[in-house]
Amino acid sequence: MFTVSLAAPAQEPEARWPSPDWPTARPADVGLDAAKLQEARDYSLTAGGSGMIVRHGRAVLRWGDQARRYDIKSATKSFGTTALGIAVKDGKIELDAPARRYHPTLGVPPESNAETGWLDKITILHLATQTAGFEKPGGYESLLFEPGTEWHYSDGGPNWLAECITLVYKRDLEDLMFERVFRPLGIGREDLRWRNNQYRPHEIEGLPRREFGAGIHANVEALSRLGYLYLRQGRWKDQQILSSEFVRIASRPVESVVGLKERDAKAHGNASDHYGLLWWNNADGALQNVPRDACWAWGLFDSLIVVMPSLDLVVVRGGEQGKRLARDDDADHYEVLGPFLDPIVAAAGSVVSRLNGRNQESPPTQAVSTTSRAEAAAPVPPSRLIREVVWAPRDSIIRQAKGSDTWPMTWGDDGHLYTAYADGWGFDPRVPEKLSLGVARVAGRPPEIKGENIRAESVEQHGDGERGKKASGLLIVDGVLYMLARNASNSQLAWSKDHGRTWTWADWKFTTSFGYPTFLNFGKNYAGARDEYVYVYSSDSDSAYRAGDRMVLARVPRDRIVERAAYEFFVRVDAEGTPQWTPDIDRRGAVFSHPGRCYRLGVTYNAALKRYLWCQIYPESSDSRGPRFQGGFGIYDAPEPWGPWTTVYHTNEWDVGPGETSSFPTKWMSDDGRTLHLVFSGDDYFSVRQATLKIAD
């Protein structure tokens, strides 16, 4: 069943809204390079038209006639998706339902469609994903193939969808959209009008018959506001206009569509891999320089509404009739967008590069201070509590256990920190043979710490890389040491009742998702836990070597950790802010999204600040050996294990290698929670670096 949650997302910190006009800012004020934005504008103007760029809710660049209404052609389809989202939210339409439930004569005329036997198979989802099978024009078109078996760009299918929604509401969709969407967004009739249907009779059952294939004329002001509604996950100020889950579904590829054959591959390339609900997207990375979470409405003459959540950007363009951006007939259909979108993304990335370059060149005797606000491309808004992270100088980093990595941490009942290493020999004196998984403990506090290997034949593993099991999470609860091990198709639990000397492996595994699971750690021996549950995070991937688009969360009663049947999986937060859980792993939802960058992680609770701190390594690296030697990471905070998460620190290139994993051990947090020590596997060591948090007043 294709279901949509109606949960309201958490309020983004410092979200700005036009009231009535967009707040404005200079590009530099929101971390953008003005010269790069002008490059994009100049390319856009080669075909005339108008445009606007909005970042962090502020208009930073405009060009052309802002009041002029453009015939946005097929960008109308994404407005149609919005009408569908209203109907889903109201419970009037289900995506999986047969379309003829709402429109009994759907698909006829022509009568030849009835002879195919396919009409009863067409669902609302087929109409919204270009997989219903109708020919291209927007009139009464023939079916080309059985629904759901191919992808074919069509106006006919979306126009049947418009009729379904008209009939369930029994009113003009233009009036419905002005009441439910346009007026709340501040879009007036001077900004947008919807023409009469040009392909079919003007009325259906006495009601105006609108089109989704095309038909809306709008100015860039209206386009920017619809884009911002999607950027804010369907929320406008304090009103949840669309459900956040519907926005997620609409803006991402649909699983049942990905990989379908394209009926006109020359015109639309591998469109089935980057098409949502009448929105285009970049989930497959077809535009290499554009974030994978980007999505856009796109009409003839290149009218665009582009939404980039990871950059907090909305970019819109009204295309001038009869003029198109220059394209090569033999090029992929997305390539024309590169010269427009690439400079805009680079406008954020160029600022990051300069900041990171300055950090990397800092003398080793100077502390590196980087505010999260200055960094670009963070996936969530900045923390309102933790304003800055100041790292101790590079030459103060403690390096032990050369040649070993991973290092998940937990605080034992005996006062020691317990850890595990991978692909190495552990602490001095080193074990004689290289292990894929070895266990150790650490005594003391920085800078005076001492690691000691624990020989444990029942858990030790051999085999480099993916060939050997490796620990991804450790936790001590009531004196029992638990380990989550990856590279186990997908992951497996083990436990020790004698502080790591002997182990028992569970007779079950996580075989769906949870390819890199780790425990949420509280205080000594799990002291200070929020409740009687143990929490497990992972990237939503079957492998520790493939980054996911989102992070997922499980919980289990602390006295039933070894029982697979006792685990529940986070689904969503409901409108009252209560987390919803399910025993069905296939219904798992996301606690954090960062398309293509959800990788290895560590999560701990800072009791003094009452914040969960999430350290997440990014998968990219310019070094062939990976992020142990070069790369970036983020630190995020939240008041609850499921969020809402905000950015404490973010960098695409730290001044040293961040390692493949990192975390803040709770034992090494100061009483006021402001001085921490990051444990990371940078340069293939057990590496420890002090961090000082600057807290908001």
Side-chain angles (χ1 to χ4, degrees):
M1 185 71 176
F2 205 114
T3 58
V4 175
S5 160
L6 303 184
Q11 175 91 4
E12 298 94 341
E14 303 186 30
R16 293 178 173 86
W17 311 89
S19 56
D21 299 321
W22 284 108
T24 60
R26 297 174 303 172
D29 293 338
V30 292
L32 296 175
D33 185 317
K36 290 291 185 182
L37 297 187
Q38 290 163 9
E39 181 183 335
R41 175 204 61 191
D42 293 346
Y43 174 73
S44 174
L45 286 171
T46 61
S50 306
M52 182 194 306
I53 297 174
V54 175
R55 191 174 205 211
H56 301 333
R58 294 186 281 184
V60 297
L61 184 66
R62 298 175 184 262
W63 63 92
D65 185 347
Q66 300 288 292
R68 178 180 173 183
R69 289 194 304 242
Y70 293 88
D71 182 354
I72 64 171
K73 301 296 185 180
S74 284
T76 301
K77 292 179 172 68
S78 300
F79 283 81
T81 298
T82 309
L84 174 60
I86 294 295
V88 170
K89 186 172 187 289
D90 289 349
K92 291 184 173 292
I93 279 182
E94 296 177 3
L95 294 178
D96 282 334
R100 283 196 147 197
R101 176 188 299 176
Y102 312 106
H103 192 337
T105 61
L106 181 139
V108 178
E111 291 297 332
S112 59
N113 284 341
E115 298 170 4
T116 65
W118 294 337
L119 290 176
D120 290 337
K121 298 180 180 181
I122 296 173
T123 66
I124 294 296
L125 189 66
H126 290 142
L127 297 174
T129 57
Q130 304 290 16
T131 58
F134 290 101
E135 289 184 311
K136 170 65 173 72
Y140 297 118
E141 311 303 336
S142 298
L143 285 170
L144 300 174
F145 51 82
E146 183 177 353
T149 62
E150 297 184 43
W151 189 96
H152 178 62
Y153 193 75
S154 166
D155 292 341
N159 285 354
W160 283 115
L161 178 61
E163 294 187 13
C164 290
I165 301 174
T166 298
L167 293 175
V168 299
Y169 279 101
K170 299 191 182 304
R171 60 184 300 191
D172 181 357
L173 291 186
E174 185 180 45
D175 291 342
L176 174 72
M177 290 290 282
F178 267 100
E179 175 187 314
R180 300 290 297 277
V181 180
F182 299 151
R183 276 199 292 270
L185 269 57
I187 298 172
R189 292 187 181 270
E190 70 280 6
D191 301 308
L192 182 150
R193 69 176 180 84
W194 208 332
R195 75 181 182 203
N196 291 328
N197 196 304
Q198 289 193 353
Y199 292 91
R200 303 181 184 184
H202 288 177
E203 292 188 347
I204 178 172
E205 295 187 5
L207 300 165
R209 181 190 254 119
R210 302 294 175 183
E211 302 172 53
F212 283 173
I216 283 181
H217 296 244
N219 58 28
V220 294
E221 184 73 28
L223 302 182
S224 68
R225 292 173 187 239
L226 187 78
Y228 200 65
L229 175 69
Y230 277 79
L231 183 74
R232 294 298 174 219
Q233 297 182 298
R235 183 171 61 86
W236 193 265
K237 298 182 179 178
D238 294 327
Q239 184 178 355
Q240 193 68 37
I241 292 175
L242 301 174
S243 88
S244 59
E245 181 67 4
F246 180 84
V247 170
R248 186 189 70 80
I249 293 169
S251 58
R252 306 292 297 158
V254 176
E255 184 176 354
S256 61
V257 175
V258 172
L260 289 182
K261 173 187 174 183
E262 288 81 17
R263 176 55 65 113
D264 187 359
K266 182 177 180 181
H268 295 105
N270 60 327
S272 63
D273 291 345
H274 50 231
Y275 200 76
L277 305 188
L278 304 181
W279 281 84
W280 299 92
N281 61 65
N282 195 43
D284 63 347
L287 286 175
Q288 295 182 0
N289 298 323
V290 174
R292 291 197 176 207
D293 65 347
C295 64
W296 50 88
W298 192 6
L300 184 65
F301 311 126
D302 301 311
S303 288
L304 290 160
I305 306 171
V306 184
V307 180
M308 301 186 197
S310 60
L311 297 182
D312 202 17
L313 270 169
V314 173
V315 181
V316 299
R317 181 182 187 274
E320 193 165 328
Q321 191 83 2
K323 296 184 178 181
R324 302 179 73 191
L325 297 171
R327 64 244 290 150
D328 185 339
D329 290 341
D330 295 327
D332 181 83
H333 74 124
Y334 265 14
E335 286 189 21
V336 66
L337 300 177
F340 181 48
L341 299 181
D342 288 358
I344 295 171
V345 175
S350 61
V351 173
V352 173
S353 297
R354 287 199 300 271
L355 285 170
N356 289 336
R358 184 184 68 231
N359 289 348
Q360 193 167 15
E361 293 164 4
S362 298
T365 56
Q366 294 181 358
V368 179
S369 173
T370 302
T371 63
S372 61
R373 299 181 187 285
E375 295 277 0
V380 292
S383 172
R384 301 183 70 177
L385 173 67
I386 304 171
R387 295 299 192 183
E388 188 175 357
V389 180
V390 177
W391 298 104
R394 293 199 302 270
D395 63 357
S396 70
I397 297 174
I398 300 169
R399 305 277 196 186
Q400 296 185 13
K402 180 180 179 180
S404 302
D405 61 21
T406 302
W407 308 118
M409 305 286 285
T410 190
W411 190 359
D413 56 311
D414 59 359
H416 293 302
L417 284 171
Y418 285 82
T419 187
Y421 57 91
D423 291 343
W425 301 265
F427 294 97
D428 291 335
R430 308 201 309 176
V431 299
E433 72 278 17
K434 187 176 183 180
L435 296 177
S436 170
L437 192 168
V439 182
R441 66 182 185 182
V442 181
R445 294 176 178 270
E448 302 299 326
I449 61 174
K450 180 176 175 55
E452 177 186 0
N453 299 321
I454 300 172
R455 299 312 306 265
E457 183 178 351
S458 52
V459 81
E460 289 177 354
Q461 303 286 311
H462 296 82
D464 289 341
E466 297 183 62
R467 295 184 297 112
K469 292 179 184 177
K470 294 172 172 54
S472 54
L474 288 177
L475 183 70
I476 286 189
V477 179
D478 301 326
V480 179
L481 176 58
Y482 296 92
M483 173 190 295
L484 288 165
R486 57 183 170 96
N487 302 359
S489 300
N490 297 349
S491 54
Q492 189 174 8
L493 178 74
W495 60 92
S496 170
K497 296 182 178 181
D498 55 8
H499 295 96
R501 290 183 291 276
T502 59
W503 293 79
T504 301
W505 287 98
D507 59 2
W508 55 269
K509 297 179 180 180
F510 287 117
T511 57
T512 300
S513 185
F514 288 82
Y516 191 94
T518 194
F519 291 108
L520 165 60
N521 267 268
F522 288 93
K524 180 179 179 181
N525 198 29
Y526 212 55
R530 74 178 308 278
D531 51 33
E532 292 301 308
Y533 286 93
V534 162
Y535 293 85
V536 177
Y537 296 85
S538 178
S539 57
D540 192 14
S541 174
D542 289 339
S543 170
Y545 299 87
R546 290 195 302 271
D549 291 334
R550 60 183 192 164
M551 295 291 189
V552 291
L553 174 64
R555 71 175 187 179
V556 61
R558 62 187 290 169
D559 58 351
R560 300 181 65 191
I561 298 172
V562 303
E563 301 174 36
R564 172 61 182 86
Y567 283 75
E568 297 178 309
F569 303 91
F570 176 84
V571 180
R572 62 182 179 273
V573 175
D574 66 18
E576 287 72 43
T578 304
Q580 304 297 301
W581 303 88
T582 176
D584 183 359
I585 195 170
D586 291 333
R587 293 184 56 213
R588 66 194 182 280
V591 290
F592 189 95
S593 296
H594 198 181
R597 303 191 82 187
C598 289
Y599 200 43
R600 302 177 183 180
L601 69 155
V603 189
T604 51
Y605 183 63
N606 188 319
L609 299 183
K610 298 181 180 179
R611 282 295 187 276
Y612 297 86
L613 296 179
W614 182 320
C615 299
Q616 182 182 319
I617 299 297
Y618 300 148
E620 305 89 356
S621 177
S622 61
D623 191 303
S624 61
R625 297 169 295 177
R628 287 173 296 165
F629 297 89
Q630 185 281 329
F633 71 107
I635 301 170
Y636 307 99
D637 73 324
E640 295 287 0
W642 41 86
W645 298 95
T646 54
T647 303
V648 172
Y649 180 83
H650 164 82
T651 181
N652 291 312
E653 185 175 357
W654 206 24
D655 61 326
V656 296
E660 292 184 329
T661 56
S662 61
S663 67
F664 289 113
T666 56
K667 179 181 177 180
W668 293 345
M669 295 179 180
S670 62
D671 290 343
D672 63 2
R674 302 185 184 207
T675 301
L676 317 175
H677 288 83
L678 185 75
V679 172
F680 61 105
S681 58
D683 290 358
D684 252 359
Y685 282 90
F686 178 82
S687 301
V688 183
R689 190 176 193 178
Q690 181 176 298
T692 302
L693 307 182
K694 292 191 175 181
I695 307 302
D697 293 338

